[in-house]
């Protein structure tokens, strides 16, 4: 009886199995999965933002060579004008002038009348000298143009360029890793689905064999122990089927995580076998030319060397730098401009 069961089990496994188990999932090809992953995966979106940030930093580093324009302004309104009040001195000055003119020192009537014509308007005027109006405001501007910074601007631009290339290579590395992960999980789900189909065929075959064993036991053709052995195989086949179904659910969840969606996808692209594999040297050459990790190592080395040069220059306190600065400040009644150089 055990021999017959073994033959039946082998026939069930070797028999034709459907490519994929019947399910209500959304059919998706490998090309479609790659397209969705490249557009919806959060890791790729984060890598794209990192590239944009590096590009903006690169543009900001270019701006270090450009003139810097600063504008400042302020306005204040005080209770009254600020100044010096000389009106209390009108009386003494008027008395002194009258004494001088009445002393007879000046005898010419025409000259005396002319002096009186000049003194009288002065006595009638307001002797308050305004130093600052109660309404105060000013606008200032400053333009700074770097002339020589001891190579700091060049170092900053080189570092920003290297950071931009590093961000691009990191994005490529993330993209390559996700594609590899997607292919592994995509075909892993396809293979796991086929395993479920085979396990289901085994369960159906063992169930039919169990029914036959029960009928044979009822006719007295086999013993009770032989039927119990078939029941044991039935339990084992059902357990294997449940494990296969759990594995499908796990791989499907992993595939959804890679794609960046929550739909129930069903692979439709058939698995393939490579008929020819290139020699090892071919892959070594490709890795040396295109591997993003090696490019990141090269960019990191270049950035470290540039940082070391910058640190050495910063330690030299005598290292010269110069900038041209043009400043203008405009008050309500005056305008001042200046040109200065810093070193």
């Amino acid at each position: 009886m055990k021999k017959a069961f073994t033959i039946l089990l082998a026939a069930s496994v070797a028999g034709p199995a459907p490519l994929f188990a019947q399910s209500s999932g959304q059919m998706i090809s490998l090309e479609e999965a790659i397209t969705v992953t490249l557009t919806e995966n959060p890791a790729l979106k984060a890598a794209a933002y990192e590239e944009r940030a590096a590009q903006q930093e690169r543009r900001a580093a270019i701006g270090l060579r450009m003139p810097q324009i600063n504008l400042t302004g302020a306005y204040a309104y005080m209770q009254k004008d600020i100044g010096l009040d000389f009106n209390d001195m009108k009386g003494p000055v008027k008395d002194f002038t009258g004494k001088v003119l009445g002393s007879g020192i000046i005898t010419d009537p025409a000259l005396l009348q002319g002096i009186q014509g000049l003194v009288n308007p002065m006595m009638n005027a307001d002797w308050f000298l305004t130093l600052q109006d109660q309404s105060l405001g000013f606008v200032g501007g400053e333009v700074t143009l770097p002339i020589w910074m001891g190579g700091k601007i060049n170092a900053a631009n080189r570092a920003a360029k290297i950071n931009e290339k590093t961000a691009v290579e990191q994005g490529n590395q993330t993209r390559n890793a996700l594609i590899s992960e997607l292919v592994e999980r995509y075909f892993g789900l396809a293979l796991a689905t086929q395993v479920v189909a085979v396990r289901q065929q085994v369960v159906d075959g063992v169930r039919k064999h169990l029914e036959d064993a029960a009928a044979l036991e009822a006719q007295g053709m086999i013993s009770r122990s032989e039927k119990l052995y078939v029941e044991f195989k039935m339990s084992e086949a059902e357990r294997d089927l449940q494990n296969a179904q759990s594995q499908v659910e796990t791989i499907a969840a992993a595939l959804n995580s890679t794609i960046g969606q929550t739909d129930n996808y069903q692979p439709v692209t058939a698995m393939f076998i490579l008929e020819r594999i290139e020699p090892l040297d071919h892959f070594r050459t490709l890795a040396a030319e295109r591997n993003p990790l090696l490019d990141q190592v090269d960019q990191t080395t270049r950035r470290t060397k540039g940082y070391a040069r910058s640190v050495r220059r910063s330690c030299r306190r005598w290292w010269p730098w110069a900038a041209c600065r043009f400043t203008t400040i405009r008050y309500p009644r005056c305008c001042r401009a200046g040109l200065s150089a810093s070193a």
Side-chain angles (χ1 to χ4, degrees):
M1 182 62 193
K2 295 182 179 179
K3 184 177 180 181
F5 175 76
T6 304
I7 296 176
L8 176 61
L9 181 61
S12 300
V13 175
L19 182 60
F20 300 106
Q22 297 295 330
S23 65
S24 58
Q26 179 181 352
M27 300 297 179
I28 184 172
S29 64
L30 180 60
E31 291 77 10
E32 294 173 346
I34 293 175
T35 302
V36 176
T37 301
L38 295 179
T39 55
E40 300 296 334
N41 189 275
L44 288 179
K45 293 181 179 180
Y49 286 125
E50 290 291 339
E51 292 181 15
R52 294 180 184 177
Q55 291 176 358
Q56 296 301 324
E57 292 178 359
R58 167 65 171 158
R59 295 177 180 177
I62 296 176
L64 295 176
R65 304 182 186 276
M66 303 300 175
Q68 296 182 4
I69 301 176
N70 297 323
L71 297 177
T72 58
Y75 177 79
Y77 187 81
M78 298 178 290
Q79 184 177 3
K80 61 180 181 179
D81 295 341
I82 299 176
L84 300 176
D85 191 1
F86 296 101
N87 289 307
D88 295 339
M89 300 179 64
K90 281 186 179 181
V93 172
K94 186 176 181 180
D95 295 340
F96 177 76
T97 304
K99 291 179 181 181
V100 172
L101 295 178
S103 63
I105 298 177
I106 302 175
T107 57
D108 188 356
L111 180 58
L112 185 62
Q113 185 177 4
I115 294 174
Q116 289 287 349
L118 294 176
V119 171
N120 290 335
M122 294 177 60
M123 293 295 106
N124 295 330
D126 185 10
W127 284 26
F128 183 83
L129 178 60
T130 302
L131 300 179
Q132 178 60 58
D133 295 337
Q134 63 181 145
S135 179
L136 171 63
F138 74 91
V139 177
E142 181 181 271
V143 179
T144 303
L145 178 64
I147 300 176
W148 172 253
M149 300 298 292
K152 294 182 179 179
I153 296 180
N154 294 335
N157 276 270
R158 285 193 297 267
K161 186 176 181 179
I162 292 174
N163 291 335
E164 182 181 6
K165 292 182 178 179
T166 302
V168 172
E169 296 301 333
Q170 289 177 350
N172 294 335
Q173 174 63 22
T174 302
R175 189 176 299 107
N176 295 343
L178 283 176
I179 295 300
S180 300
E181 182 181 273
L182 173 66
V183 172
E184 179 181 355
R185 293 178 176 179
Y186 181 90
F187 289 112
L189 180 58
L191 181 59
T193 306
Q194 294 184 20
V195 171
V196 170
V198 173
R199 293 297 181 186
Q200 184 62 52
Q201 291 182 8
V202 172
V203 170
D204 295 340
V206 176
R207 182 178 292 109
K208 181 64 172 60
H209 188 66
L210 180 59
E211 294 174 355
D212 295 340
L216 292 175
E217 181 188 11
Q219 296 295 327
M221 298 179 63
I222 61 174
S223 63
R224 175 65 176 172
S225 61
E226 292 178 332
K227 180 186 175 184
L228 291 176
Y229 180 77
V230 177
E231 291 177 353
F232 165 73
K233 288 297 182 180
M234 182 63 187
S235 300
E236 190 179 43
E238 290 177 347
R239 182 193 61 194
D240 293 340
L241 176 60
Q242 292 178 357
N243 292 338
Q245 291 174 346
S246 299
Q247 189 175 10
V248 167
E249 294 176 357
T250 302
I251 299 177
L255 179 62
N256 290 337
S257 176
T258 302
I259 294 178
Q261 298 289 335
T262 58
D263 296 336
N264 184 19
Y265 290 110
Q266 185 66 31
V268 296
T269 301
M271 299 180 64
F272 58 90
I273 299 177
L274 294 177
E275 298 180 355
R276 180 177 177 273
I277 300 179
E278 301 293 339
L280 180 59
D281 293 338
H282 173 74
F283 294 102
R284 288 178 177 174
T285 303
L286 291 180
E289 294 177 354
R290 305 179 183 179
N291 191 285
L293 288 176
L294 297 179
D295 291 338
Q296 292 180 44
V297 171
D298 180 62
Q299 299 299 332
T300 303
T301 303
R302 295 175 56 188
R303 182 171 62 249
T304 304
K305 292 181 179 179
Y307 178 75
R309 288 194 298 267
S310 177
V311 170
R312 286 195 298 267
R313 289 179 177 178
S314 63
C315 294
R316 302 174 184 175
R317 299 183 179 275
W318 52 268
W319 194 265
W321 64 274
C324 182
R325 179 176 297 172
F326 177 79
T327 305
T328 177
I329 300 177
R330 184 176 183 85
Y331 291 93
R333 297 181 180 179
C334 67
C335 179
R336 185 185 68 184
L339 180 65
S340 62
S342 301

